[in-house]
Amino acid sequence: MKIKCLIIDDEPLAVNVIKNYLEQIDNYEIAETFNNAIDGLNFLKNNNVDVIFLDINMPVLDGINFIKSLENPPLIIITSAYDEYALETYELDVLDYLVKPIEMPRFMKTLNKITKRLENAKKIPVSANKETPFIFIKIDKKKMKKIFLNEILIIESLKDYLKIKTFSGSYIVHYTLKDFTNLLPPGDFIRIHRSYTVAIDKIDALEGNSVEIEGLRYVIGRSYIDEVKQKILDASV
């Protein structure tokens, strides 16, 4: 099955660069291209895509507000001539941030992230299974959301709130990191920093004082590093 892509960028040259790259990869398909975010929104009302390659500085509706307007966004790859928005878009859970001009080797790294994320998403159970542990979290005043523990990647502290990142999306909840971590099986999760708890089996690499998960690096706090390294060794086959 091909990975369907949407390109939204008001620079024709930038659109052509991404189109040219994608057309060289067999399992990617360009669903449509638009030079503004409004047309992109209208297209998404009746069409599904796996990935959006999105510029930020566009007329009428910029890329950041476009992302915020999506209820269930697909994977988002930012393509911008400026790197100043990287932190803000990270908080919106974008998968990658490409700075123009985009070179093919860097673009291929992004495609690898996309493929890995989509492959992992297929492993998520579609319905509840008594053998699959889960918890319910309160995501607003009226709604409780079921979260399967094997979906969780990272729990990030936002002072009095948490951002729970899963394969299927991110959720903001009103917990402290300490209290939420205590709800999780200690053999499956570990706190690596005052701001992060991670799923041990989602750690792809350990390098120096950081771990890599889904292509992103997270620093291990100095007081946590010995325990984290030991836990990773204990989890190895």
Side-chain angles (χ1 to χ4, degrees), residues 107-232:
F107 192 78
M108 289 303 300
K109 288 185 177 180
T110 296
L111 297 189
N112 289 336
K113 288 184 180 182
I114 293 170
T115 300
K116 184 173 182 180
R117 176 65 68 86
L118 293 176
E119 286 177 348
N120 285 334
K122 292 177 183 177
K123 300 174 184 177
I124 298 172
V126 176
S127 60
N129 185 318
K130 292 181 180 179
E131 297 179 357
T132 304
F134 60 85
I135 57 174
F136 277 95
I137 58 172
K138 189 174 184 180
I139 58 176
D140 60 37
K141 292 181 179 180
K142 298 182 179 179
K143 188 173 182 179
M144 298 288 286
K145 172 73 176 177
K146 179 189 283 185
I147 303 290
F148 289 97
L149 299 190
N150 63 357
E151 289 189 38
I152 297 175
L153 298 167
I154 303 148
I155 303 107
E156 178 183 357
S157 174
L158 305 173
K159 293 188 177 179
D160 295 327
Y161 291 83
L162 296 180
K163 182 179 184 180
I164 303 173
K165 295 182 68 175
T166 75
F167 286 129
S168 55
S170 296
Y171 308 93
I172 304 297
V173 297
H174 188 40
Y175 278 95
T176 66
L177 185 59
K178 180 179 179 181
D179 289 341
F180 191 84
T181 301
N182 288 338
L183 296 174
L184 303 172
D188 298 330
F189 294 86
I190 186 169
R191 189 164 178 177
I192 66 166
H193 189 276
R194 64 183 180 183
S195 298
Y196 300 109
T197 289
V198 305
I200 297 172
D201 67 342
K202 305 304 187 300
I203 296 174
D204 296 314
L206 170 66
E207 182 177 350
N209 67 335
S210 67
V211 295
E212 181 179 326
I213 299 176
E214 291 288 301
L216 296 175
R217 290 203 167 274
Y218 299 88
V219 174
I220 304 171
R222 192 174 301 175
S223 61
Y224 298 88
I225 194 160
D226 290 337
E227 182 183 359
V228 171
K229 287 183 176 180
Q230 188 59 53
K231 274 279 185 78
I232 291 174

